[in-house]
Amino acid sequence: MSPLALAQAYETRDKLMSLHSELAEEGAIHIEIIKTTGDKILNQPLADIGGKGLFTKEIDEALLEGRIDIAVHSMKDVPTYFPDGMILPCNLPREDVRDVFISLTASSLAELPAGSVVGSASLRRQSQILYRYPSLKVVNFRGNVQTRLRKLNDGEVQATLLALAGLKRLNMTENVTAILSVEEMLPAIAQGAIGIACRSNDDKMANYLASLNHEETRLAVACERAFLETLDGSCRTPIAGYAYRNKDGDCLFRGLVASPDGTRVLETSRKGPFVLNDMISMGKDAGKELISRAGPGFFDW
């Protein structure tokens, strides 16, 4: 289990304890550490070992078997379908959705000399980097945040990209060279959002989780996940999407699909009421538009 996953579990525990005095008592909450397939197999690209669900399957099994009562997930790791008997009624307030650029030798992607090696396990980041900077070389780069920073310091790569949300939760933002705008690097679906699941027949836990839910985050994530589900996004398809409430109170959504080599990037956007059903429709509609624009063969890598 990564230090980040642990930080997210502690954040959830602290919120429950502050809202419910009975949970603040000694021993009321126990954190169970579960190693997942995604944590164990670090020498292969995620797409090659089964894609989504690698960081959630073992945890969801423990939940359904009753070994744990709530499961804390990074929403960007959660498949668009849930196993029977599980619900995910709660999203914590979303952290900063942006990606960061980290390098010891350059202050931005644009400054990296041609042929520089950038490490990233994310096809979404790889394709967007190569689209804008085709002279760079992107290599697969896995492991937790600490591992990736060590590889960077050891000179295995000249730069890497990470989610700002994770660095903030780990109190490691001093490593950031530059923050990338969402225009420059569209985030992963549900980036920065934590989701908390429980069994569908466990009203007590569902009530606890309802007290933690941040509705604006839940709706934005639902919009982005509707887009992903429509595209049937596998780990082999670079997909990005971001929904947020603008200053007028409307939902703005931007979505993107790309070829892994970055030669083709298709983008679209939607605007509509910040209401769950409207936002799910917007996400689906944007996904259908990109499927039709991409044409046959685009998603068969």
Side-chain angles (χ1 to χ4, degrees), residues 144-165:
N144 64 37
V145 170
Q146 287 81 353
T147 308
R148 293 188 211 190
L149 291 173
R150 193 183 68 239
K151 288 179 177 178
L152 177 73
N153 286 320
D154 291 347
E156 283 187 37
V157 295
Q158 276 78 60
T160 189
L161 269 60
L162 292 170
L164 179 54

Side-chain angles (χ1 to χ4, degrees), residues 32-217:
E32 181 76 22
I33 294 177
I34 297 170
K35 238 179 153 47
T36 66
T37 315
D39 297 317
K40 290 173 192 161
I41 306 177
L42 289 173
N43 58 346
Q44 290 169 274
L46 290 175
D48 293 352
I49 51 173
K52 288 278 183 227
L54 288 170
F55 293 102
T56 56
K57 187 166 145 289
E58 285 87 351
I59 297 169
D60 293 340
E61 283 167 0
L63 181 68
L64 294 172
E65 289 166 10
R67 288 182 282 134
I68 59 173
D69 295 307
I70 66 171
V72 180
H73 294 307
S74 287
M75 279 308 294
K76 70 177 183 180
D77 295 333
V78 177
T80 48
Y81 52 88
F82 300 136
D84 282 347
M86 183 185 119
I87 53 170
L88 203 153
C90 170
N91 287 128
L92 297 185
R94 195 172 198 172
E95 187 44 275
D96 198 312
V97 302
R98 293 174 296 176
D99 282 318
V100 299
F101 172 79
I102 304 178
S103 174
L104 307 178
T105 57
S107 62
S108 68
L109 279 165
E111 261 192 32
L112 286 171
S116 295
V117 178
V118 182
S120 174
S122 154
L123 289 179
R124 169 190 66 85
R125 290 181 183 129
Q126 288 181 29
S127 59
Q128 291 186 74
I129 291 167
L130 292 170
Y131 177 61
R132 288 188 176 79
Y133 307 102
S135 67
L136 297 176
K137 184 172 184 236
V138 185
V139 297
N140 189 57
F141 197 58
R142 289 207 43 224
N144 64 37
V145 170
Q146 287 81 353
T147 308
R148 293 188 211 190
L149 291 173
R150 193 183 68 239
K151 288 179 177 178
L152 177 73
N153 286 320
D154 291 347
E156 283 187 37
V157 295
Q158 276 78 60
T160 189
L161 269 60
L162 292 170
L164 179 54
L167 294 171
K168 282 190 164 185
R169 291 193 173 111
L170 290 166
N171 294 316
M172 290 173 65
T173 51
E174 74 277 0
N175 294 285
V176 172
T177 307
I179 297 176
L180 303 173
S181 71
V182 293
E183 287 73 35
E184 192 179 352
M185 179 62 61
L186 199 60
I189 302 297
Q191 184 150 307
I194 293 173
I196 313 177
C198 64
R199 288 181 292 278
S200 49
N201 61 358
D202 189 343
D203 293 344
K204 184 180 174 187
M205 289 304 142
N207 285 332
Y208 278 140
L209 296 187
S211 69
L212 297 189
N213 180 54
H214 186 252
E215 193 63 1
E216 183 175 328
T217 299

Side-chain angles (χ1 to χ4, degrees), residues 29 124 176 218 281 291:
I29 299 178
R124 169 190 66 85
V176 172
R218 190 178 77 89
S281 299
I291 288 171

